[in-house]
Amino acid sequence: MKVLVIGGGAREHALCRSLSLDPDVTALHCAPGNAGIGEVAQLHPVDALDGAAVARLATELAAELVVVGPEAPLVAGVADAVRAAGIPCFGPSREAAELEGSKAFAKEVMAAAGVPTARSYVCTTPEEIDEALDAFGAPYVVKDDGLAAGKGVVVTHDLVAAREHALACDRVVIEEYLDGPEVSLFAITDGETVVPLTPAQDFKRALDGDAGPNTGGMGAYSPLPWADPKLVDEVMATVLQPTVDELHRRGTPFSGLLYAGLAITSRGVRVIEFNARFGDPETQVVLARLQTPLAGVLLSAAEGTLDLLPPLRWRDDAAVTVVVASHNYPDTPRTGDPIDGLNDVAEQDAPHAYVLHAGTKRDGEAVVSAGGRVLSVTATGKDLSQARERAYKAVARIRLDGSQHRTDIAREAAGE
């Protein structure tokens, strides 16, 4: 089949890489893409938020499946426009994508579905903000109600900082702090059937030891050797299926990728947040372990036939991804710096380690930085220790002036 992927980050590079390895994919396109994606897919300029433009491009390419990667186009209704053009699309409708587009809406759905989550208040005035912060106390958890590219959440013991963040948002969700480790669990759904993927854990803080500000994610690993083997079944029964059923009951079925960010608390599993698309950087490690060809799975979700899909097959290998970020990230990043060493990784570390591009672009023959998170260096191994070793060996070959990365991704889980 001919496939068009919408987006231009490391998540989309991971999707394109997996699709390029799928024997059923005869032509692969990406819009707008990046320097790395251009090596496995044909790139096209498009405004990813313009549903009519995306649908027009998909029609011109005779695409038989469109995969919408980022959250902003989904919330803007791009998947609806593609489906209206008669083309199968992997990604929820605008109405269903509100599960990520509005944290208040997600809380409402969870309450109706009986899904366990943190107690919370939705605030729109300074008085409501002060009451909520006082009610929960420190550590304060303050979330911008709308999309904020993974950087709309502040978790702090500093009341002044919590209040400043809350006041800067039009509408804000303030909730109780959830203790315990966090887990990301993706599920593919056609609006009725739900197929869970393998769990992963990401690292949101910028610096080693979970210090520094929140980011879009500095690395991830899978599998989770410390997690309860029954975790996926429990989350399916208490979170994923009830949420999909509730959205179906409301007449806004959720078809696509449902991402549950979970806290494994002392009182059981609690949902931190939902996303309406593959998470970045967890996608990089989850797809590295998926053995089942990807295109057929995504098409089954788009066409409503997931119940006919054979069980997914997974590699026994572990996977680790380390994000290489630009100077000053997550504040205003410096861009335009040349990136060297990419060919060295391809020549010396493949196939066990490879580079997925995020914020990159071509400048003549050179590849230069074009965003905050620039690259995701992903590696597999017989266990997390070997995968870590391979990932960091590849990271060491990359030269980007002023770049930064965490050195402790998966270290504790690997027992190091």
Side-chain angles (χ1 to χ4, degrees):
M1 73 183 90
K2 297 178 183 176
V3 183
L4 169 63
V5 176
I6 302 301
R11 161 187 47 229
E12 287 75 36
H13 194 176
L15 287 163
C16 286
R17 179 182 182 274
S18 290
L19 289 165
S20 73
L21 299 172
D22 187 331
D24 288 335
V25 175
T26 53
L28 182 59
H29 303 269
C30 186
N34 61 38
I37 295 173
E39 295 175 8
V40 295
Q42 186 176 342
L43 303 187
H44 304 269
V46 78
D47 178 355
L49 298 176
D50 185 339
V54 171
R56 193 161 51 246
L57 174 62
T59 302
E60 289 169 3
L61 295 173
E64 293 155 288
L65 173 66
V66 175
V67 180
V68 181
E71 61 272 25
L74 292 167
V75 172
V78 168
D80 302 275
V82 172
R83 279 190 277 266
I87 301 169
C89 185
F90 182 81
S93 66
R94 179 188 60 78
E95 288 183 309
E98 276 297 287
L99 204 60
E100 178 170 3
S102 168
K103 291 178 175 60
F105 175 72
K107 289 288 188 183
E108 180 191 317
V109 170
M110 283 188 267
V115 170
T117 186
R119 293 179 297 120
S120 63
Y121 294 104
V122 179
C123 307
T124 55
T125 68
E127 293 76 21
E128 289 174 346
I129 287 167
D130 289 338
E131 286 177 19
L133 291 171
D134 184 57
F136 288 128
Y140 305 100
V141 181
V142 184
K143 299 181 175 182
D144 190 334
D145 179 56
L147 294 180
K151 295 186 281 291
V153 179
V154 165
V155 181
T156 179
H157 283 81
D158 185 338
L159 177 58
V160 174
R163 191 170 188 273
E164 282 179 359
H165 182 65
L167 291 170
C169 305
D170 288 333
R171 187 159 77 149
V172 67
V173 175
I174 296 174
E175 62 184 40
E176 68 175 327
Y177 176 76
L178 297 175
D179 64 339
E182 295 184 14
V183 174
S184 299
L185 184 61
F186 301 162
I188 290 173
T189 176
D190 57 12
E192 294 186 33
T193 301
V194 181
V195 177
L197 305 187
T198 189
Q201 186 175 58
D202 76 328
F203 294 74
K204 294 185 173 66
R205 297 285 187 173
L207 307 175
D208 284 7
D210 286 332
N214 259 344
T215 71
M218 295 298 290
Y221 69 93
S222 179
L224 312 182
W226 49 268
D228 187 328
K230 302 193 194 83
L231 176 65
V232 173
D233 290 341
E234 179 187 347
V235 175
M236 270 289 292
T238 63
V239 175
L240 296 170
Q241 192 70 56
T243 301
V244 169
D245 291 346
E246 172 61 19
L247 287 165
H248 190 271
R249 186 190 68 77
R250 289 169 176 241
T252 54
F254 187 105
S255 169
L257 194 290
L258 178 57
Y259 164 124
L262 309 164
I264 313 301
T265 77
S266 53
R267 293 173 292 137
V269 175
R270 298 287 185 273
V271 175
I272 301 170
E273 64 176 355
F274 282 128
N275 289 338
R277 39 73 196 180
F278 280 101
D280 181 349
E282 300 98 319
T283 301
Q284 289 86 303
V285 293
V286 170
L287 292 186
R289 299 187 61 223
L290 180 64
Q291 203 163 7
T292 301
L294 183 62
V297 180
L298 303 185
L299 185 64
S300 293
E303 294 187 330
T305 58
L306 269 183
D307 58 325
L308 305 177
L309 194 74
L312 297 180
R313 291 175 289 119
W314 297 95
R315 296 183 178 89
D316 292 331
D317 285 0
V320 171
T321 194
V322 179
V323 170
V324 177
S326 56
H327 177 75
N328 206 39
Y329 178 78
D331 293 326
T332 306
R334 194 174 77 204
T335 59
D337 290 313
I339 305 166
D340 295 314
L342 297 173
N343 291 336
D344 297 340
V345 175
E347 291 167 5
Q348 300 182 53
D349 300 300
H352 301 299
Y354 48 89
V355 178
L356 298 169
H357 291 233
T360 69
K361 67 177 182 181
R362 288 213 167 267
D363 183 5
E365 291 298 305
V367 175
V368 300
S369 61
R373 291 185 296 171
V374 181
L375 305 167
S376 285
V377 180
T378 304
T380 56
K382 67 179 188 297
D383 54 26
L384 286 174
S385 188
Q386 187 179 52
R388 279 191 88 242
E389 181 187 347
R390 288 171 169 172
Y392 280 108
K393 188 175 179 183
V395 167
R397 300 191 200 280
I398 294 168
R399 296 175 296 283
L400 170 62
D401 186 48
S403 68
Q404 54 175 316
H405 65 271
R406 283 185 58 160
T407 65
D408 61 348
I409 304 300
R411 183 167 62 198
E412 190 177 334
E416 297 176 10

